[in-house]
Amino acid sequence: MYGDPLGDDSVPCCESRPDFARIADGVDAVRAAARDEFRKGAAHLKVLLSGGVASPHDEIAAVQYSEDEIRAAVEEAENHNRYVTAHAYHPRAIDRALRAGVRCVEHGNLIDDATIALLLERDAFLVPTLIAYEQTAKLGRQSGLPESSYRKLTEVRDHGLAALEKAHRAGVNLVHGSDLLGPLHPAQLEEFTLRAEVQPAADVIRSATSTAARLLRMEGEIGTLAPGAHADLLVVDGDPLADLAVLTRPERHLRHVVKAGAVL
């Protein structure tokens, strides 16, 4: 991760471990940081391009990287046969990222029709994280989230489902994600429940399987029942195409977990 105060270890908002993120300021610093992360084995880069809910000193619409800085990260990723994904809510940041070659956008709660068109033009991917805002609204005050963050939380929460519906109807590549950290993590399956309000169950499941595999450039290896793919399977009692609760209520419906062909 590179960029805004969400990546600043001096701001205890999102760090799940020490050195969770790093700040790189300027084209040369971004390039050096990208090379260093790939040297250490990164599968992709995540750049923080716009303001965050949890970061205390910025606006959601703030854009924190120039196009040249983003292109430096994208170029290094391409040099290593990897890709860049971006934290961004607002069209200002998302459009800049897509023009610079970013492959995936995470969140995207405030996207407009022009941004959706650009996502389609670039065949990019969008990872909504609706459950993060629901859970933060419920539990954030317990962890000391300031009032300024709650104002931003309300803004992105109020627009997230409508943005997802517009992207779905337009045919944007949608991938499952939750963005839940620490004590919020147990709610990750509820992302399915929220998406089902505006998407058919089959499309929600694709977002966590075949479309996710395309984003990761692992088609045929994961997210599919096919010869030669990783045999990681959930065996459930019920039809998730008829009721997504079959997947979100494992205490009722999960019968077996199969990992690499072995039943756990």
Side-chain angles (χ1 to χ4, degrees), residues 11-130:
V11 180
C13 66
C14 298
E15 296 88 316
S16 62
R17 62 184 184 276
D19 300 319
F20 174 76
R22 61 194 295 171
I23 291 178
D25 187 9
V27 171
D28 290 343
V30 169
R31 191 179 302 281
R35 289 176 177 174
D36 186 48
E37 293 300 325
F38 287 126
R39 178 185 61 81
K40 294 186 293 188
H44 66 270
L45 299 179
K46 180 177 179 180
V47 293
L48 303 176
L49 299 185
S50 73
V53 167
S55 49
H57 304 305
D58 53 19
E59 299 177 3
I60 291 296
V63 183
Q64 282 139 354
Y65 266 150
S66 69
E67 196 161 324
D68 286 342
E69 288 170 312
I70 302 168
R71 286 188 188 280
V74 169
E75 182 179 2
E76 291 305 321
E78 291 175 348
N79 287 345
H80 290 81
N81 298 316
R82 301 292 190 263
Y83 67 92
V84 175
T85 186
H87 156 101
Y89 292 106
H90 195 277
R92 289 179 64 201
I94 296 170
D95 293 357
R96 182 175 297 182
L98 294 172
R99 288 194 300 267
V102 166
R103 177 174 171 81
C104 179
V105 174
E106 302 187 16
H107 316 313
N109 297 53
L110 304 177
I111 56 174
D112 57 19
D113 292 341
T115 298
I116 288 175
L118 193 55
L119 283 161
L120 292 169
E121 176 189 323
R122 300 303 172 98
D123 196 28
F125 294 77
L126 177 65
V127 185
T129 56
L130 305 178

Side-chain angles (χ1 to χ4, degrees), residues 189 192 205 233-258:
L189 293 177
F192 276 39
I205 294 169
L233 309 170
L234 301 179
V235 180
V236 296
D237 182 7
D239 181 2
L241 294 176
D243 181 7
L244 271 176
V246 171
L247 297 178
T248 63
R249 297 292 179 264
E251 69 281 3
R252 298 180 188 175
H253 300 285
L254 182 63
R255 296 296 176 261
H256 301 288
V257 175
V258 181

